[in-house]
Amino acid sequence: LAKTTQPISMDSYEGQEVNITCSHNNIATNDYITWYQQFPSQGPRFIIQGYKTKVTNEVASLFIPADRKSSTLSLPRVSLSDTAVYYCLVGATGGGNKLTFGTGTQLKVEL
Amino acid sequence: GAVVSQHPSWVICKSGTSVKIECRSLDFQATTMFWYRQFPKQSLMLMATSNEGSKATYEQGVEKDKFLINHASLTLSTLTVTSAHPEDSSFYICSATGLAGGPDSYEQYFGPGTRLTVT
């Protein structure tokens, strides 16, 4: 399973765009990149998943360069409620494939 | 999206007793369920992978005789912590994936977690 590296923590203010970058130098050809959000004492929540280029949904965008050795989660106009830990994971898709969680990034949003 | 529930949400038990945690997929059939453990301020650590109708696969360092996992149906997996000790106190989280090839097969859906405190 590819190892991921993320910043331990980030600080931001309400209304700003936040970009969290994840490095995954050993990503395999059939690996997808998935980001999860976790609030204290809750299970992780799926945010977004992608394979290459750019993916956008109602809550975030995911940018993946051509070499796929990194990815950037972009959260537009964060609010206090976006304060959470964000995990970047890489792995093959398909039912039954286990995920390995790295350290995650603690995002703190202030007024 | 798909919903996974856990019961109980928190439990306190005495040292030496056993406690069972249930994980249910409420609106989809989960061929595979995963059990994680998370200590305070730490990341999730995968404990085992559970496939319906077969024995669970445990990660290295996880005692299979202590953490009994049963996945008897496509919607229910249970984790039993046997002879619990204070060091087993943790946040236990399950996740589930749908049938391979289905629209949900590429995503793991996580339960809300169960807080276990062993006194």
PDB file of all heavy atoms in Angstrom, chain A residues 26-57:
ATOM      1  N   ASN A  26       4.893   6.563  -4.121  1.00  0.00           N
ATOM      2  CA  ASN A  26       4.883   5.161  -4.562  1.00  0.00           C
ATOM      3  C   ASN A  26       3.508   4.696  -5.012  1.00  0.00           C
ATOM      4  O   ASN A  26       3.222   3.498  -4.990  1.00  0.00           O
ATOM      5  CB  ASN A  26       5.386   4.266  -3.428  1.00  0.00           C
ATOM      6  CG  ASN A  26       6.825   4.563  -3.053  1.00  0.00           C
ATOM      7  OD1 ASN A  26       7.647   4.850  -3.908  1.00  0.00           O
ATOM      8  ND2 ASN A  26       7.112   4.515  -1.772  1.00  0.00           N
ATOM      9  N   ILE A  27       2.687   5.600  -5.465  1.00  0.00           N
ATOM     10  CA  ILE A  27       1.335   5.227  -5.886  1.00  0.00           C
ATOM     11  C   ILE A  27       1.407   4.259  -7.055  1.00  0.00           C
ATOM     12  O   ILE A  27       2.223   4.400  -7.961  1.00  0.00           O
ATOM     13  CB  ILE A  27       0.519   6.486  -6.246  1.00  0.00           C
ATOM     14  CG1 ILE A  27      -0.943   6.122  -6.452  1.00  0.00           C
ATOM     15  CG2 ILE A  27       1.118   7.210  -7.439  1.00  0.00           C
ATOM     16  CD1 ILE A  27      -1.856   7.350  -6.537  1.00  0.00           C
ATOM     17  N   ALA A  28       0.552   3.251  -7.011  1.00  0.00           N
ATOM     18  CA  ALA A  28       0.532   2.241  -8.061  1.00  0.00           C
ATOM     19  C   ALA A  28      -0.465   2.620  -9.151  1.00  0.00           C
ATOM     20  O   ALA A  28      -1.344   3.455  -8.958  1.00  0.00           O
ATOM     21  CB  ALA A  28       0.169   0.881  -7.462  1.00  0.00           C
ATOM     22  N   THR A  29      -0.305   1.976 -10.287  1.00  0.00           N
ATOM     23  CA  THR A  29      -1.122   2.296 -11.449  1.00  0.00           C
ATOM     24  C   THR A  29      -2.616   2.172 -11.170  1.00  0.00           C
ATOM     25  O   THR A  29      -3.411   2.981 -11.649  1.00  0.00           O
ATOM     26  CB  THR A  29      -0.747   1.383 -12.628  1.00  0.00           C
ATOM     27  OG1 THR A  29       0.646   1.541 -12.902  1.00  0.00           O
ATOM     28  CG2 THR A  29      -1.557   1.721 -13.864  1.00  0.00           C
ATOM     29  N   ASN A  30      -2.999   1.176 -10.383  1.00  0.00           N
ATOM     30  CA  ASN A  30      -4.430   0.958 -10.152  1.00  0.00           C
ATOM     31  C   ASN A  30      -4.924   1.598  -8.858  1.00  0.00           C
ATOM     32  O   ASN A  30      -6.042   1.325  -8.421  1.00  0.00           O
ATOM     33  CB  ASN A  30      -4.752  -0.538 -10.150  1.00  0.00           C
ATOM     34  CG  ASN A  30      -3.972  -1.277  -9.087  1.00  0.00           C
ATOM     35  OD1 ASN A  30      -2.993  -0.757  -8.553  1.00  0.00           O
ATOM     36  ND2 ASN A  30      -4.392  -2.490  -8.761  1.00  0.00           N
ATOM     37  N   ASP A  31      -4.113   2.452  -8.252  1.00  0.00           N
ATOM     38  CA  ASP A  31      -4.512   3.118  -7.009  1.00  0.00           C
ATOM     39  C   ASP A  31      -5.345   4.367  -7.298  1.00  0.00           C
ATOM     40  O   ASP A  31      -5.024   5.137  -8.200  1.00  0.00           O
ATOM     41  CB  ASP A  31      -3.294   3.542  -6.191  1.00  0.00           C
ATOM     42  CG  ASP A  31      -2.642   2.388  -5.465  1.00  0.00           C
ATOM     43  OD1 ASP A  31      -3.304   1.337  -5.312  1.00  0.00           O
ATOM     44  OD2 ASP A  31      -1.474   2.551  -5.040  1.00  0.00           O
ATOM     45  N   TYR A  32      -6.376   4.558  -6.502  1.00  0.00           N
ATOM     46  CA  TYR A  32      -7.128   5.796  -6.495  1.00  0.00           C
ATOM     47  C   TYR A  32      -6.724   6.608  -5.274  1.00  0.00           C
ATOM     48  O   TYR A  32      -6.130   6.089  -4.327  1.00  0.00           O
ATOM     49  CB  TYR A  32      -8.632   5.510  -6.449  1.00  0.00           C
ATOM     50  CG  TYR A  32      -9.230   5.244  -7.802  1.00  0.00           C
ATOM     51  CD1 TYR A  32      -8.918   4.089  -8.506  1.00  0.00           C
ATOM     52  CD2 TYR A  32     -10.123   6.146  -8.380  1.00  0.00           C
ATOM     53  CE1 TYR A  32      -9.471   3.844  -9.751  1.00  0.00           C
ATOM     54  CE2 TYR A  32     -10.676   5.907  -9.617  1.00  0.00           C
ATOM     55  CZ  TYR A  32     -10.342   4.757 -10.300  1.00  0.00           C
ATOM     56  OH  TYR A  32     -10.891   4.518 -11.536  1.00  0.00           O
ATOM     57  N   ILE A  33      -7.034   7.873  -5.283  1.00  0.00           N
ATOM     58  CA  ILE A  33      -6.736   8.773  -4.176  1.00  0.00           C
ATOM     59  C   ILE A  33      -8.060   9.198  -3.550  1.00  0.00           C
ATOM     60  O   ILE A  33      -8.956   9.681  -4.255  1.00  0.00           O
ATOM     61  CB  ILE A  33      -5.968  10.008  -4.664  1.00  0.00           C
ATOM     62  CG1 ILE A  33      -4.651   9.580  -5.327  1.00  0.00           C
ATOM     63  CG2 ILE A  33      -5.711  10.976  -3.504  1.00  0.00           C
ATOM     64  CD1 ILE A  33      -4.108  10.580  -6.306  1.00  0.00           C
ATOM     65  N   THR A  34      -8.168   8.988  -2.261  1.00  0.00           N
ATOM     66  CA  THR A  34      -9.409   9.273  -1.561  1.00  0.00           C
ATOM     67  C   THR A  34      -9.123  10.127  -0.335  1.00  0.00           C
ATOM     68  O   THR A  34      -8.130   9.912   0.357  1.00  0.00           O
ATOM     69  CB  THR A  34     -10.094   7.966  -1.108  1.00  0.00           C
ATOM     70  OG1 THR A  34     -10.155   7.046  -2.204  1.00  0.00           O
ATOM     71  CG2 THR A  34     -11.493   8.231  -0.602  1.00  0.00           C
ATOM     72  N   TRP A  35      -9.988  11.080  -0.087  1.00  0.00           N
ATOM     73  CA  TRP A  35      -9.865  11.937   1.088  1.00  0.00           C
ATOM     74  C   TRP A  35     -11.073  11.733   1.992  1.00  0.00           C
ATOM     75  O   TRP A  35     -12.207  11.656   1.533  1.00  0.00           O
ATOM     76  CB  TRP A  35      -9.779  13.408   0.670  1.00  0.00           C
ATOM     77  CG  TRP A  35      -8.455  13.784   0.085  1.00  0.00           C
ATOM     78  CD1 TRP A  35      -8.027  13.563  -1.186  1.00  0.00           C
ATOM     79  CD2 TRP A  35      -7.382  14.462   0.747  1.00  0.00           C
ATOM     80  NE1 TRP A  35      -6.757  14.047  -1.347  1.00  0.00           N
ATOM     81  CE2 TRP A  35      -6.333  14.619  -0.187  1.00  0.00           C
ATOM     82  CE3 TRP A  35      -7.203  14.970   2.043  1.00  0.00           C
ATOM     83  CZ2 TRP A  35      -5.129  15.260   0.126  1.00  0.00           C
ATOM     84  CZ3 TRP A  35      -6.016  15.603   2.360  1.00  0.00           C
ATOM     85  CH2 TRP A  35      -4.989  15.737   1.411  1.00  0.00           C
ATOM     86  N   TYR A  36     -10.760  11.646   3.290  1.00  0.00           N
ATOM     87  CA  TYR A  36     -11.792  11.523   4.305  1.00  0.00           C
ATOM     88  C   TYR A  36     -11.651  12.655   5.317  1.00  0.00           C
ATOM     89  O   TYR A  36     -10.566  13.187   5.541  1.00  0.00           O
ATOM     90  CB  TYR A  36     -11.680  10.192   5.050  1.00  0.00           C
ATOM     91  CG  TYR A  36     -12.143   8.981   4.274  1.00  0.00           C
ATOM     92  CD1 TYR A  36     -11.287   8.314   3.410  1.00  0.00           C
ATOM     93  CD2 TYR A  36     -13.447   8.510   4.401  1.00  0.00           C
ATOM     94  CE1 TYR A  36     -11.708   7.198   2.701  1.00  0.00           C
ATOM     95  CE2 TYR A  36     -13.876   7.400   3.697  1.00  0.00           C
ATOM     96  CZ  TYR A  36     -13.005   6.751   2.846  1.00  0.00           C
ATOM     97  OH  TYR A  36     -13.430   5.655   2.142  1.00  0.00           O
ATOM     98  N   GLN A  37     -12.774  12.989   5.932  1.00  0.00           N
ATOM     99  CA  GLN A  37     -12.822  13.990   6.988  1.00  0.00           C
ATOM    100  C   GLN A  37     -13.274  13.293   8.268  1.00  0.00           C
ATOM    101  O   GLN A  37     -14.177  12.458   8.240  1.00  0.00           O
ATOM    102  CB  GLN A  37     -13.837  15.079   6.608  1.00  0.00           C
ATOM    103  CG  GLN A  37     -14.088  16.141   7.649  1.00  0.00           C
ATOM    104  CD  GLN A  37     -15.319  16.970   7.278  1.00  0.00           C
ATOM    105  OE1 GLN A  37     -16.404  16.451   7.074  1.00  0.00           O
ATOM    106  NE2 GLN A  37     -15.129  18.279   7.174  1.00  0.00           N
ATOM    107  N   GLN A  38     -12.645  13.646   9.375  1.00  0.00           N
ATOM    108  CA  GLN A  38     -13.064  13.062  10.641  1.00  0.00           C
ATOM    109  C   GLN A  38     -13.173  14.117  11.722  1.00  0.00           C
ATOM    110  O   GLN A  38     -12.217  14.862  11.975  1.00  0.00           O
ATOM    111  CB  GLN A  38     -12.105  11.961  11.106  1.00  0.00           C
ATOM    112  CG  GLN A  38     -12.622  11.224  12.336  1.00  0.00           C
ATOM    113  CD  GLN A  38     -11.670  10.175  12.869  1.00  0.00           C
ATOM    114  OE1 GLN A  38     -10.461  10.284  12.715  1.00  0.00           O
ATOM    115  NE2 GLN A  38     -12.223   9.151  13.521  1.00  0.00           N
ATOM    116  N   PHE A  39     -14.342  14.157  12.362  1.00  0.00           N
ATOM    117  CA  PHE A  39     -14.551  15.002  13.532  1.00  0.00           C
ATOM    118  C   PHE A  39     -14.262  14.165  14.778  1.00  0.00           C
ATOM    119  O   PHE A  39     -14.331  12.938  14.726  1.00  0.00           O
ATOM    120  CB  PHE A  39     -15.981  15.537  13.566  1.00  0.00           C
ATOM    121  CG  PHE A  39     -16.316  16.417  12.401  1.00  0.00           C
ATOM    122  CD1 PHE A  39     -17.202  15.998  11.418  1.00  0.00           C
ATOM    123  CD2 PHE A  39     -15.745  17.673  12.283  1.00  0.00           C
ATOM    124  CE1 PHE A  39     -17.511  16.808  10.341  1.00  0.00           C
ATOM    125  CE2 PHE A  39     -16.047  18.496  11.206  1.00  0.00           C
ATOM    126  CZ  PHE A  39     -16.925  18.053  10.231  1.00  0.00           C
ATOM    127  N   PRO A  40     -13.967  14.817  15.893  1.00  0.00           N
ATOM    128  CA  PRO A  40     -13.678  14.068  17.129  1.00  0.00           C
ATOM    129  C   PRO A  40     -14.812  13.118  17.496  1.00  0.00           C
ATOM    130  O   PRO A  40     -15.985  13.466  17.413  1.00  0.00           O
ATOM    131  CB  PRO A  40     -13.514  15.183  18.164  1.00  0.00           C
ATOM    132  CG  PRO A  40     -13.075  16.365  17.387  1.00  0.00           C
ATOM    133  CD  PRO A  40     -13.800  16.271  16.079  1.00  0.00           C
ATOM    134  N   SER A  41     -14.437  11.917  17.867  1.00  0.00           N
ATOM    135  CA  SER A  41     -15.378  10.884  18.315  1.00  0.00           C
ATOM    136  C   SER A  41     -16.434  10.538  17.264  1.00  0.00           C
ATOM    137  O   SER A  41     -17.563  10.175  17.606  1.00  0.00           O
ATOM    138  CB  SER A  41     -16.068  11.313  19.620  1.00  0.00           C
ATOM    139  OG  SER A  41     -15.121  11.427  20.658  1.00  0.00           O
ATOM    140  N   GLN A  42     -16.056  10.648  16.005  1.00  0.00           N
ATOM    141  CA  GLN A  42     -16.934  10.214  14.921  1.00  0.00           C
ATOM    142  C   GLN A  42     -16.137   9.386  13.922  1.00  0.00           C
ATOM    143  O   GLN A  42     -14.916   9.482  13.862  1.00  0.00           O
ATOM    144  CB  GLN A  42     -17.561  11.421  14.199  1.00  0.00           C
ATOM    145  CG  GLN A  42     -18.521  12.221  15.057  1.00  0.00           C
ATOM    146  CD  GLN A  42     -19.227  13.299  14.243  1.00  0.00           C
ATOM    147  OE1 GLN A  42     -19.394  13.175  13.031  1.00  0.00           O
ATOM    148  NE2 GLN A  42     -19.637  14.355  14.916  1.00  0.00           N
ATOM    149  N   GLY A  43     -16.835   8.600  13.127  1.00  0.00           N
ATOM    150  CA  GLY A  43     -16.170   7.869  12.071  1.00  0.00           C
ATOM    151  C   GLY A  43     -15.796   8.780  10.919  1.00  0.00           C
ATOM    152  O   GLY A  43     -16.394   9.846  10.746  1.00  0.00           O
ATOM    153  N   PRO A  44     -14.819   8.407  10.123  1.00  0.00           N
ATOM    154  CA  PRO A  44     -14.438   9.228   8.964  1.00  0.00           C
ATOM    155  C   PRO A  44     -15.584   9.342   7.966  1.00  0.00           C
ATOM    156  O   PRO A  44     -16.405   8.433   7.825  1.00  0.00           O
ATOM    157  CB  PRO A  44     -13.266   8.454   8.358  1.00  0.00           C
ATOM    158  CG  PRO A  44     -12.733   7.630   9.466  1.00  0.00           C
ATOM    159  CD  PRO A  44     -13.922   7.260  10.286  1.00  0.00           C
ATOM    160  N   ARG A  45     -15.598  10.465   7.291  1.00  0.00           N
ATOM    161  CA  ARG A  45     -16.624  10.705   6.270  1.00  0.00           C
ATOM    162  C   ARG A  45     -15.943  10.918   4.932  1.00  0.00           C
ATOM    163  O   ARG A  45     -15.017  11.713   4.819  1.00  0.00           O
ATOM    164  CB  ARG A  45     -17.460  11.927   6.647  1.00  0.00           C
ATOM    165  CG  ARG A  45     -18.609  12.223   5.703  1.00  0.00           C
ATOM    166  CD  ARG A  45     -19.430  13.401   6.215  1.00  0.00           C
ATOM    167  NE  ARG A  45     -18.742  14.680   6.048  1.00  0.00           N
ATOM    168  CZ  ARG A  45     -18.958  15.545   5.069  1.00  0.00           C
ATOM    169  NH1 ARG A  45     -19.840  15.249   4.126  1.00  0.00           N
ATOM    170  NH2 ARG A  45     -18.311  16.695   5.022  1.00  0.00           N
ATOM    171  N   PHE A  46     -16.419  10.224   3.911  1.00  0.00           N
ATOM    172  CA  PHE A  46     -15.870  10.345   2.566  1.00  0.00           C
ATOM    173  C   PHE A  46     -16.075  11.766   2.054  1.00  0.00           C
ATOM    174  O   PHE A  46     -17.155  12.341   2.155  1.00  0.00           O
ATOM    175  CB  PHE A  46     -16.584   9.346   1.651  1.00  0.00           C
ATOM    176  CG  PHE A  46     -16.224   9.459   0.193  1.00  0.00           C
ATOM    177  CD1 PHE A  46     -15.162   8.754  -0.321  1.00  0.00           C
ATOM    178  CD2 PHE A  46     -16.982  10.247  -0.664  1.00  0.00           C
ATOM    179  CE1 PHE A  46     -14.840   8.836  -1.669  1.00  0.00           C
ATOM    180  CE2 PHE A  46     -16.672  10.339  -2.009  1.00  0.00           C
ATOM    181  CZ  PHE A  46     -15.597   9.633  -2.509  1.00  0.00           C
ATOM    182  N   ILE A  47     -15.000  12.349   1.487  1.00  0.00           N
ATOM    183  CA  ILE A  47     -15.112  13.672   0.893  1.00  0.00           C
ATOM    184  C   ILE A  47     -15.083  13.585  -0.622  1.00  0.00           C
ATOM    185  O   ILE A  47     -15.981  14.068  -1.303  1.00  0.00           O
ATOM    186  CB  ILE A  47     -13.963  14.605   1.343  1.00  0.00           C
ATOM    187  CG1 ILE A  47     -13.955  14.783   2.858  1.00  0.00           C
ATOM    188  CG2 ILE A  47     -14.104  15.966   0.658  1.00  0.00           C
ATOM    189  CD1 ILE A  47     -12.755  15.598   3.334  1.00  0.00           C
ATOM    190  N   ILE A  48     -14.019  12.978  -1.141  1.00  0.00           N
ATOM    191  CA  ILE A  48     -13.831  12.994  -2.588  1.00  0.00           C
ATOM    192  C   ILE A  48     -12.825  11.929  -2.983  1.00  0.00           C
ATOM    193  O   ILE A  48     -11.994  11.512  -2.163  1.00  0.00           O
ATOM    194  CB  ILE A  48     -13.365  14.403  -3.051  1.00  0.00           C
ATOM    195  CG1 ILE A  48     -13.570  14.591  -4.552  1.00  0.00           C
ATOM    196  CG2 ILE A  48     -11.925  14.663  -2.638  1.00  0.00           C
ATOM    197  CD1 ILE A  48     -13.433  16.059  -4.993  1.00  0.00           C
ATOM    198  N   GLN A  49     -12.938  11.470  -4.200  1.00  0.00           N
ATOM    199  CA  GLN A  49     -12.015  10.469  -4.716  1.00  0.00           C
ATOM    200  C   GLN A  49     -11.680  10.782  -6.168  1.00  0.00           C
ATOM    201  O   GLN A  49     -12.543  11.263  -6.910  1.00  0.00           O
ATOM    202  CB  GLN A  49     -12.608   9.070  -4.622  1.00  0.00           C
ATOM    203  CG  GLN A  49     -11.673   7.948  -5.081  1.00  0.00           C
ATOM    204  CD  GLN A  49     -12.334   6.590  -4.994  1.00  0.00           C
ATOM    205  OE1 GLN A  49     -13.160   6.229  -5.833  1.00  0.00           O
ATOM    206  NE2 GLN A  49     -11.982   5.823  -3.964  1.00  0.00           N
ATOM    207  N   GLY A  50     -10.434  10.496  -6.559  1.00  0.00           N
ATOM    208  CA  GLY A  50     -10.054  10.735  -7.944  1.00  0.00           C
ATOM    209  C   GLY A  50      -8.916   9.845  -8.379  1.00  0.00           C
ATOM    210  O   GLY A  50      -8.235   9.221  -7.544  1.00  0.00           O
ATOM    211  N   TYR A  51      -8.703   9.810  -9.678  1.00  0.00           N
ATOM    212  CA  TYR A  51      -7.597   9.027 -10.233  1.00  0.00           C
ATOM    213  C   TYR A  51      -6.549   9.945 -10.872  1.00  0.00           C
ATOM    214  O   TYR A  51      -5.353   9.774 -10.660  1.00  0.00           O
ATOM    215  CB  TYR A  51      -8.109   8.022 -11.259  1.00  0.00           C
ATOM    216  CG  TYR A  51      -7.030   7.119 -11.796  1.00  0.00           C
ATOM    217  CD1 TYR A  51      -6.613   6.003 -11.073  1.00  0.00           C
ATOM    218  CD2 TYR A  51      -6.419   7.387 -13.022  1.00  0.00           C
ATOM    219  CE1 TYR A  51      -5.609   5.173 -11.554  1.00  0.00           C
ATOM    220  CE2 TYR A  51      -5.419   6.567 -13.507  1.00  0.00           C
ATOM    221  CZ  TYR A  51      -5.025   5.461 -12.774  1.00  0.00           C
ATOM    222  OH  TYR A  51      -4.023   4.645 -13.250  1.00  0.00           O
ATOM    223  N   LYS A  52      -7.008  10.904 -11.652  1.00  0.00           N
ATOM    224  CA  LYS A  52      -6.082  11.850 -12.267  1.00  0.00           C
ATOM    225  C   LYS A  52      -6.818  13.156 -12.576  1.00  0.00           C
ATOM    226  O   LYS A  52      -8.042  13.242 -12.451  1.00  0.00           O
ATOM    227  CB  LYS A  52      -5.480  11.272 -13.537  1.00  0.00           C
ATOM    228  CG  LYS A  52      -6.485  10.952 -14.622  1.00  0.00           C
ATOM    229  CD  LYS A  52      -5.780  10.391 -15.846  1.00  0.00           C
ATOM    230  CE  LYS A  52      -6.804  10.061 -16.933  1.00  0.00           C
ATOM    231  NZ  LYS A  52      -6.141   9.501 -18.153  1.00  0.00           N
ATOM    232  N   THR A  53      -6.072  14.149 -12.921  1.00  0.00           N
ATOM    233  CA  THR A  53      -6.524  15.506 -13.252  1.00  0.00           C
ATOM    234  C   THR A  53      -7.329  16.116 -12.117  1.00  0.00           C
ATOM    235  O   THR A  53      -6.845  16.253 -11.019  1.00  0.00           O
ATOM    236  CB  THR A  53      -7.308  15.528 -14.574  1.00  0.00           C
ATOM    237  OG1 THR A  53      -8.489  14.748 -14.455  1.00  0.00           O
ATOM    238  CG2 THR A  53      -6.445  14.995 -15.702  1.00  0.00           C
ATOM    239  N   LYS A  54      -8.554  16.512 -12.390  1.00  0.00           N
ATOM    240  CA  LYS A  54      -9.326  17.246 -11.392  1.00  0.00           C
ATOM    241  C   LYS A  54     -10.698  16.635 -11.209  1.00  0.00           C
ATOM    242  O   LYS A  54     -11.343  16.230 -12.168  1.00  0.00           O
ATOM    243  CB  LYS A  54      -9.468  18.713 -11.821  1.00  0.00           C
ATOM    244  CG  LYS A  54     -10.325  19.567 -10.894  1.00  0.00           C
ATOM    245  CD  LYS A  54     -10.474  20.975 -11.445  1.00  0.00           C
ATOM    246  CE  LYS A  54     -11.425  21.800 -10.578  1.00  0.00           C
ATOM    247  NZ  LYS A  54     -11.618  23.166 -11.117  1.00  0.00           N
ATOM    248  N   VAL A  55     -11.099  16.570  -9.955  1.00  0.00           N
ATOM    249  CA  VAL A  55     -12.438  16.102  -9.613  1.00  0.00           C
ATOM    250  C   VAL A  55     -13.066  17.148  -8.708  1.00  0.00           C
ATOM    251  O   VAL A  55     -12.401  17.672  -7.817  1.00  0.00           O
ATOM    252  CB  VAL A  55     -12.401  14.737  -8.891  1.00  0.00           C
ATOM    253  CG1 VAL A  55     -13.810  14.282  -8.532  1.00  0.00           C
ATOM    254  CG2 VAL A  55     -11.686  13.693  -9.731  1.00  0.00           C
ATOM    255  N   THR A  56     -14.319  17.435  -8.936  1.00  0.00           N
ATOM    256  CA  THR A  56     -15.021  18.420  -8.109  1.00  0.00           C
ATOM    257  C   THR A  56     -16.381  17.886  -7.714  1.00  0.00           C
ATOM    258  O   THR A  56     -17.080  17.292  -8.535  1.00  0.00           O
ATOM    259  CB  THR A  56     -15.188  19.751  -8.862  1.00  0.00           C
ATOM    260  OG1 THR A  56     -13.891  20.282  -9.159  1.00  0.00           O
ATOM    261  CG2 THR A  56     -15.942  20.766  -8.014  1.00  0.00           C
ATOM    262  N   ASN A  57     -16.718  18.094  -6.453  1.00  0.00           N
ATOM    263  CA  ASN A  57     -18.091  17.803  -6.025  1.00  0.00           C
ATOM    264  C   ASN A  57     -18.614  18.992  -5.233  1.00  0.00           C
ATOM    265  O   ASN A  57     -18.017  20.071  -5.267  1.00  0.00           O
ATOM    266  CB  ASN A  57     -18.165  16.480  -5.242  1.00  0.00           C
ATOM    267  CG  ASN A  57     -17.345  16.488  -3.971  1.00  0.00           C
ATOM    268  OD1 ASN A  57     -17.021  17.558  -3.425  1.00  0.00           O
ATOM    269  ND2 ASN A  57     -16.988  15.311  -3.492  1.00  0.00           N
TER     270      ASN A  57
END
